[in-house]
Amino acid sequence: MPINSTHPQFATHKAAVTSDAYNGTVKEYVPKLAGQTSEEYMKYVNRGTYFNATRRTVEAMVGTILRKPFTMSPEVDVEFDENLGMRDFLGEVIRSVIKGGRVGIYCDFNEMSAKPYLVLYYHHCITNWRAVDGKTTLVVLKEDTYVEDPKDPYVLVPQVQYRELFLDEEGFFTVRIWKQKDKDGKKFEVSETFMPTVRGVRMTEIPFVFCNPFDNTPNVHDPVAYNLAQLNISHFCSTVDLEHGVHFTALPQPYLAGSFQREMSNGVCLGTPTLWELDHNSRVGYLEFTGAGLKAVESRIQTKENQMLQLGSSLLMPKNGVESADALAIRTGAETASLVSITSAVESAFSEALEYSLKWYGQQDPEVEFEMNRDFTTQRLSAQDVAAILNLFNSGIVSRESVLDCLVRGEIIPSVQMEMERLMQREQNDNNSE
């Protein structure tokens, strides 16, 4: 079996559709009309307007999860691929889970900086895998590299290579790098094999973590935003049809039924200074579009916009009008279910990746507590709520710390610790002034 063989569950179509909708590269999804030339087709497609609801929703979901700081205990000194910071890397993990359905995090060690570093592998790069009794025994990763052009050393040409992570017959972690053997990229050969060690001891686990919208198994799931992406592309196709129809029907078309009394070799001139001499019973006028065809297209566009709103924006936007507390809790719980599952999965995957990082430092069985935001609502406490809380404090029913905790959760103050420090500083200033 060649190294570029793929797992039976490996599929990229739905993730590619979602990525195209996210990136706005959707023109190829518009079917060509019968008889259209390439030039006519390009004009036809370019008349459409793409409203990128997919990108807006994905970024809103990422921002909602990351809108409050994450916590980590103990602190782990780790580097990230592409020189990203931890928050940006975490955001890319969340974004990729939503867009692609799953990602992988590989923990390696940088010999130059003597630090572990985390590398993100997207869904289409994880081409093959094996797991036995819940333990990963094989992961094949597709990588894009650049090599010198044999004809010109100043030119770099793209080339595919595969990184094979596996447990050998003795159960130790081994890495093989497979490079292209031919120009067509169909045959590969091993160019390098190495066996990573931690302080001279070989590893018995593959430091690679899977993450999908629900858990940390290698299972392949549809991207969270796939249905929205499909609808977004369909909406664009409808706008193409609408703009195409408007283009050809917006201006009235003059017509002449009959003939002129004298031949006009230069055609018919329009305008008030022009005199027409018509044969008997000839008729002239304007053809104007009065059918309901475009109204039907407009109606479909509006319907799709409402559906996109329900699939995307309603997940993040509060409902207008007055709702009871129970109704709000039920609706919020239903709408944030996907955010909760994504947060839990990413949180667990990141914790495991950080634990692998500590193993590179030589720690045995490390445990990392990594917690992310689960408060997805942005409603602040009202003035009445704050007054009620202060009344409880003034009555001696609750402590100052409990009041501060309520104000933090109600997004009135940033944190209990910061507010306590400010209060202590104020008390010291008051004492000094006396």
Side-chain angles (χ1 to χ4, degrees), residues 210-351:
F210 290 93
C211 183
N212 61 55
F214 304 100
D215 51 46
N216 302 137
T217 64
N219 295 333
V220 178
H221 295 274
D222 291 347
V224 175
Y226 174 64
N227 290 334
L228 176 61
Q230 275 191 311
L231 190 57
N232 206 170
I233 293 173
S234 177
H235 177 269
F236 170 68
C237 293
S238 294
T239 68
V240 171
D241 288 336
L242 178 62
E243 296 297 335
H244 182 68
V246 170
H247 176 75
F248 282 99
T249 61
L251 298 178
Q253 171 66 43
Y255 73 90
L256 168 64
S259 61
F260 288 95
Q261 290 186 359
R262 65 174 183 267
E263 182 180 354
M264 301 186 67
S265 58
N266 295 326
V268 179
C269 296
L270 297 178
T272 54
T274 305
L275 176 65
W276 290 357
E277 296 182 33
L278 303 177
D279 289 339
H280 184 63
N281 293 329
S282 295
R283 291 183 297 110
V284 294
Y286 279 97
L287 296 175
E288 294 188 62
F289 179 75
T290 59
L294 294 184
K295 290 294 183 182
V297 177
E298 291 176 347
S299 177
R300 288 297 301 152
I301 289 177
Q302 184 61 54
T303 299
K304 292 174 183 178
E305 289 175 356
N306 292 336
Q307 291 173 336
M308 285 194 295
L309 182 64
Q310 293 173 2
L311 282 174
S313 299
S314 64
L315 182 67
L316 303 163
M317 299 289 287
K319 184 177 179 180
N320 294 327
V322 178
E323 277 186 295
S324 67
D326 291 340
L328 177 62
I330 293 172
R331 181 177 59 79
T332 303
E335 291 178 352
T336 57
S338 60
L339 287 178
V340 171
S341 63
I342 292 170
T343 302
S344 298
V346 173
E347 186 179 78
S348 176
F350 215 67
S351 297

Side-chain angles (χ1 to χ4, degrees), residues 24-317:
T25 53
V26 295
K27 293 182 178 180
E28 64 181 28
Y29 291 92
V30 180
K32 181 185 287 189
L33 300 180
Q36 276 187 328
T37 65
S38 297
E39 182 179 357
E40 289 172 340
Y41 173 71
M42 288 306 300
K43 292 179 180 179
Y44 165 64
V45 172
N46 288 333
R47 292 188 185 105
T49 303
Y50 184 62
F51 177 79
N52 200 332
T54 304
R55 177 185 287 271
R56 286 172 170 81
T57 303
V58 170
E59 292 305 315
M61 294 177 73
V62 175
T64 299
I65 295 175
L66 294 178
R67 75 185 190 90
K68 289 187 177 181
F70 50 81
T71 61
M72 175 174 53
S73 179
E75 293 287 333
V76 182
D77 188 10
V78 61
E79 297 176 345
F80 300 92
D81 192 29
E82 304 293 339
N83 295 320
L84 295 175
M86 182 175 290
R87 189 181 186 280
D88 291 336
F89 185 86
L90 191 61
E92 188 59 23
V93 172
I94 299 169
R95 185 178 294 108
S96 301
V97 168
I98 297 172
K99 288 168 47 184
R102 71 167 185 165
V103 295
I105 304 174
Y106 176 45
C107 184
D108 206 342
F109 193 78
N110 189 338
E111 299 289 348
M112 297 186 65
S113 64
K115 293 181 180 180
Y117 69 94
L118 302 182
V119 183
L120 176 66
Y121 282 88
Y122 297 99
H123 66 280
H124 59 275
C125 298
I126 310 172
T127 60
N128 213 340
W129 58 93
R130 297 284 188 279
V132 178
D133 296 329
K135 183 177 183 178
T136 303
T137 59
L138 169 72
V139 180
V140 179
L141 305 170
K142 183 180 179 181
E143 300 176 339
D144 295 323
T145 61
Y146 291 90
V147 298
E148 289 185 3
D149 189 337
K151 299 179 181 179
D152 188 343
Y154 296 101
V155 176
L156 295 178
V157 294
Q159 191 175 86
V160 173
Q161 72 175 27
Y162 286 89
R163 183 179 299 268
E164 181 186 11
L165 318 176
F166 67 99
L167 298 180
D168 63 16
E169 295 179 354
E170 298 178 353
F172 292 114
F173 174 44
T174 306
V175 180
R176 279 198 291 240
I177 305 298
W178 295 73
K179 293 187 178 294
Q180 287 185 201
K181 188 178 180 180
D182 58 348
K183 294 182 180 179
D184 297 332
K186 296 181 179 180
K187 296 182 179 179
F188 294 83
E189 61 183 358
V190 176
S191 66
E192 186 179 2
T193 301
F194 51 95
M195 295 161 284
T197 60
V198 177
R199 300 180 183 272
V201 179
R202 293 191 64 183
M203 304 172 67
T204 57
E205 292 180 297
I206 298 176
F208 188 88
V209 184
F210 290 93
C211 183
N212 61 55
F214 304 100
D215 51 46
N216 302 137
T217 64
N219 295 333
V220 178
H221 295 274
D222 291 347
V224 175
Y226 174 64
N227 290 334
L228 176 61
Q230 275 191 311
L231 190 57
N232 206 170
I233 293 173
S234 177
H235 177 269
F236 170 68
C237 293
S238 294
T239 68
V240 171
D241 288 336
L242 178 62
E243 296 297 335
H244 182 68
V246 170
H247 176 75
F248 282 99
T249 61
L251 298 178
Q253 171 66 43
Y255 73 90
L256 168 64
S259 61
F260 288 95
Q261 290 186 359
R262 65 174 183 267
E263 182 180 354
M264 301 186 67
S265 58
N266 295 326
V268 179
C269 296
L270 297 178
T272 54
T274 305
L275 176 65
W276 290 357
E277 296 182 33
L278 303 177
D279 289 339
H280 184 63
N281 293 329
S282 295
R283 291 183 297 110
V284 294
Y286 279 97
L287 296 175
E288 294 188 62
F289 179 75
T290 59
L294 294 184
K295 290 294 183 182
V297 177
E298 291 176 347
S299 177
R300 288 297 301 152
I301 289 177
Q302 184 61 54
T303 299
K304 292 174 183 178
E305 289 175 356
N306 292 336
Q307 291 173 336
M308 285 194 295
L309 182 64
Q310 293 173 2
L311 282 174
S313 299
S314 64
L315 182 67
L316 303 163
M317 299 289 287

